[in-house]
Amino acid sequence: MSTLAERLGHAADARLLIVNCDDIGSSHAANVASEAAMREGLATSATLMVPCPWAREAVERFAGLDVGVHLTLTAEYPTYRWRPLTAARSLRDAQGYMPASAQALWARADPAEVEAECRAQIDQALAWGVDITHLDNHMGTLQANERLFPIYVKLAREYRLPLRMAGAGAEARLGFAGRAQCDAACVLYPDHFSFQWGAKTADMFERYLAAPRAGVLETILHPVQPGEELDAYDKTERWIREHDAAVGIDQVLKQRLDDAGIRRVSFRPLRDAMRGTTA
């Protein structure tokens, strides 16, 4: 059986890297920093938070770039919140906003309402003219929950889009066979995934450069331009977003990846391969 790299037209031992900017649309500052990372830096794709106030600006700014949908079921900031697109009662807290955490969502979410909301977000992005390259999810709400994961796969299958997937080790810790579900549905996903919230992304790149693995690896950035807007809504972890904004446009790191023979790609080739093989 061909490796994913071979299906994408590369050698079996090719080292392919997807660098995705999560959370575009969440703020103007996120849009600015993520666009810079894609147009000038090392990022290769981004994912759009459709329910957020700055989503329409992101659609305009990222025209011509590879953008997926960051399926959003939570709103984690205490004073900056957003609501579902649908009337789903199980996806709203007492104030009518999306739940603040994945745990709060999982405790009350109706799977039928989750599917309807995710479908509405995908359809809205399509109506805005986004040529969706892939699906992932905010705060891991779908990919880390056994009850909701089949919805994730179902939507990927129906819209013929590749998915973000936890790495094999993380999947074993989650305790359910997500990759097998994707394989059965003919849904493609990167071979590897490397990310840990709260750790410096620059350190992850250093580890990868020291021992790059064959196959397709996805890692993610959360770039946000430093300033008053970020300070206003993220009072506890803004350093992560500022750090990622700097990493995203690090030209020395970008050149080091190129010099190491690591080819940066987006999800588009996975989508194209999937659409060429899925019945």
Side-chain angles (χ1 to χ4, degrees):
M1 182 179 295
S2 298
T3 65
L4 178 58
E6 288 173 310
R7 292 186 63 179
L8 303 182
H10 301 275
D13 61 351
R15 296 167 297 179
L16 308 174
L17 176 64
I18 297 171
V19 182
N20 193 84
C21 293
D22 283 20
D23 297 1
I24 67 169
S26 60
S27 67
H28 172 69
N31 292 344
V32 170
S34 297
E35 184 186 10
M38 287 194 71
R39 294 196 186 275
E40 306 163 20
L42 53 84
T44 59
S45 65
T47 34
L48 175 69
M49 296 179 73
V50 174
C52 293
W54 289 91
R56 276 298 295 142
E57 186 204 46
V59 171
E60 301 300 325
R61 295 187 75 110
F62 287 76
L65 300 176
D66 286 354
V67 172
V69 173
H70 198 51
L71 296 167
T72 301
L73 301 169
T74 50
E76 67 270 34
Y77 303 111
T79 59
Y80 173 44
R81 314 297 304 283
W82 43 83
R83 304 174 190 271
L85 301 187
T86 61
R89 294 184 64 182
S90 73
L91 304 183
R92 296 172 184 264
D93 64 12
Q95 295 180 318
Y97 299 108
M98 286 183 169
S101 69
Q103 290 74 19
L105 170 77
W106 295 334
R108 60 173 297 160
D110 177 345
E113 292 189 334
V114 168
E115 180 177 338
E117 175 64 25
C118 290
R119 193 180 297 278
Q121 293 179 23
I122 297 167
D123 289 344
Q124 181 62 79
L126 291 170
W128 283 338
V130 179
D131 182 22
I132 301 171
T133 56
H134 63 295
L135 301 176
D136 58 31
N137 54 131
H138 189 51
M139 300 173 69
T141 52
L142 296 171
Q143 72 185 62
N145 184 270
E146 186 172 10
R147 188 168 64 105
L148 301 182
F149 187 84
I151 297 168
Y152 193 43
V153 179
K154 179 181 180 180
L155 293 171
R157 170 70 178 181
E158 289 187 14
Y159 288 90
R160 304 177 79 186
L161 294 168
L163 289 175
R164 169 177 297 163
M165 286 289 294
E171 181 178 275
R173 293 189 292 274
L174 288 172
F176 64 92
R179 290 172 173 241
Q181 292 182 49
C182 287
D183 293 342
C186 300
V187 171
L188 294 182
Y189 51 88
D191 299 302
H192 315 294
F193 180 73
S194 183
F195 172 73
Q196 182 177 351
W197 181 257
K200 289 186 176 181
T201 311
D203 294 341
M204 187 287 303
F205 280 110
E206 291 301 326
R207 291 192 298 272
Y208 179 58
L209 280 163
R213 291 181 285 182
V216 182
L217 168 74
E218 184 195 6
T219 192
I220 58 180
L221 301 172
H222 295 84
V224 182
Q225 184 182 53
E228 290 185 2
E229 185 183 20
L230 174 59
D231 292 347
Y233 71 82
D234 189 344
K235 301 182 184 303
T236 59
E237 297 177 315
R238 59 181 178 266
W239 72 267
I240 298 172
R241 304 178 193 283
E242 294 172 348
H243 170 80
D244 282 3
V247 170
I249 56 172
D250 187 332
Q251 298 301 312
V252 173
L253 176 58
K254 181 180 178 182
Q255 188 62 53
R256 289 177 64 202
L257 291 167
D258 292 345
D259 291 345
I262 296 164
R263 184 177 180 90
R264 289 176 296 109
V265 299
S266 76
F267 273 92
R268 184 177 296 274
L270 278 74
R271 187 194 70 177
D272 293 346
M274 184 172 161
R275 291 182 173 181
T277 58
T278 303

